[in-house]
Amino acid sequence: MTRARTPGIFVTGTDTGVGKTLVSRALIAAFRKVGLKVGVMKPIETGVGEDGPLDAIAMRDAAGATDPLETICPQQFALPAAPNVAARAENREVDLASIDAAYQRIARGRDLMVVEGAGGLLVPIRGDWTMAELARDLALPLLIVARASLGTINHTALTLEVAASKKLPVLGVVISHAEGPLSAADASNLLALKEILGDRLIGEIPPLGPGEATPLDAIDIDALTRRLLTDPGAE
Ligand SMILES: Nc1ncnc2c1ncn2[C@@H]1O[C@H](COP(=O)(O)OP(=O)(O)OP(=O)(O)O)[C@@H](O)[C@H]1O
Ligand SMILES: [Mg+2]
């Protein structure tokens, strides 16, 4: 990789439904606000119905991008399942080359790429490839989105372990309160996660009401940018 390549962030999660798209949109908005040209991708989306790939559409709209949806999301499948399962249901396989080609096309002329994975790091894509291999193939450091409720310590630690064992750089962890206000027990549990994470915790999205925007200061964009610029994966 050359230093001139467009830097980017691979937004992964400790699970499906944890807030990856919400966090991706918040990142896109924050980077656009400081004048960056942001390219977006949801390389593989499953559960795509008549309304199209909803995550890809949300990211495209947040970025104000005019790239065709087929480039932003080159691999779309109807079954709401892991990519290899959803592809098999259509007698297809995930076309990895189409993802690389689309990525190069979108990254050209952009200052930064924000890419949302599907599910978590060990979700199978094709053969022995999981989301982790896709992040590595695209040479992107990870931003991990974690839930706030019970189970999150284990899920977050597992995700960090997998990232470390596969030598994927991690920019930080963002906690999103997708399940609304926490019980007192869950709140103590979350406090313990925060202690474990230390400065790896780079943001926390409070429980948002319907239609409520993510607060601009919910993610430490300055710290994220600093880590992005010193990330070995970006060289
Ligand atoms: N902090 C929050 N407050 C309120 N709702 C939230 C919050 N974070 C996430 N949600 C909601 O939780 C749901 C799941 O979030 P989101 O779609 O961002 O997850 P995801 O990880 O991208 O899911 P997928 O694996 O399907 O891509 C959405 O309805 C989203 O609006
Ligand atoms: Mg999503």
Side-chain angles (χ1 to χ4, degrees):
M1 295 297 154
T2 65
R3 275 182 182 275
R5 82 184 273 279
T6 306
I9 301 170
F10 191 96
V11 180
T12 188
T14 55
D15 199 356
T16 185
V18 293
K20 294 185 298 293
T21 304
L22 190 134
V23 166
S24 297
R25 290 172 52 208
L27 290 179
I28 294 161
F31 285 120
R32 281 187 82 193
K33 199 159 180 283
V34 295
L36 295 183
K37 279 184 275 172
V38 184
V40 297
M41 262 191 103
K42 171 87 181 182
I44 309 171
E45 186 157 340
T46 67
V48 176
E50 275 179 6
D51 294 338
L54 298 180
D55 282 8
I57 290 169
M59 293 176 74
R60 180 195 64 182
D61 292 352
T66 54
D67 310 88
L69 267 183
E70 293 68 30
T71 313
I72 291 175
C73 185
Q75 294 293 288
Q76 303 178 22
F77 302 96
L79 197 72
N84 69 340
V85 176
R88 209 178 300 144
E90 298 178 20
N91 291 316
R92 294 164 60 193
E93 284 201 281
V94 173
D95 179 357
L96 296 164
S98 78
I99 296 174
D100 275 334
Y103 184 90
Q104 300 310 330
R105 215 170 307 146
I106 293 180
R108 210 171 298 141
R110 260 41 189 257
D111 299 315
L112 178 79
M113 290 291 287
V114 176
V115 177
E116 184 190 341
L121 276 186
L122 290 185
V123 161
I125 296 178
R126 174 183 177 147
D128 57 5
W129 269 48
T130 67
M131 273 297 148
E133 277 68 39
L134 181 60
R136 179 190 291 135
D137 181 61
L138 297 174
L140 294 176
L142 306 176
L143 183 72
I144 298 168
V145 181
R147 72 174 88 248
S149 53
L150 195 62
T152 192
I153 295 180
N154 181 51
H155 282 153
T156 306
L158 288 171
T159 303
L160 287 165
E161 281 272 343
V162 169
S165 76
K166 290 182 181 273
K167 301 194 168 44
L168 297 171
V170 175
L171 297 169
V173 176
V174 174
I175 294 164
S176 192
H177 289 252
E179 286 146 336
L182 295 181
S183 68
D186 280 12
S188 326
N189 195 69
L190 185 60
L191 215 51
L193 174 65
K194 291 180 182 177
E195 279 169 20
I196 292 167
L197 289 175
D199 69 1
R200 291 178 291 183
L201 180 65
I202 206 163
E204 182 173 3
I205 318 284
L208 303 173
E212 191 184 343
T214 304
L216 283 174
D217 59 355
I219 302 171
D220 188 345
I221 293 295
D222 290 343
L224 186 61
T225 306
R226 271 196 308 278
R227 291 176 196 185
L228 195 56
L229 296 177
T230 53
D231 158 49
E235 293 179 2

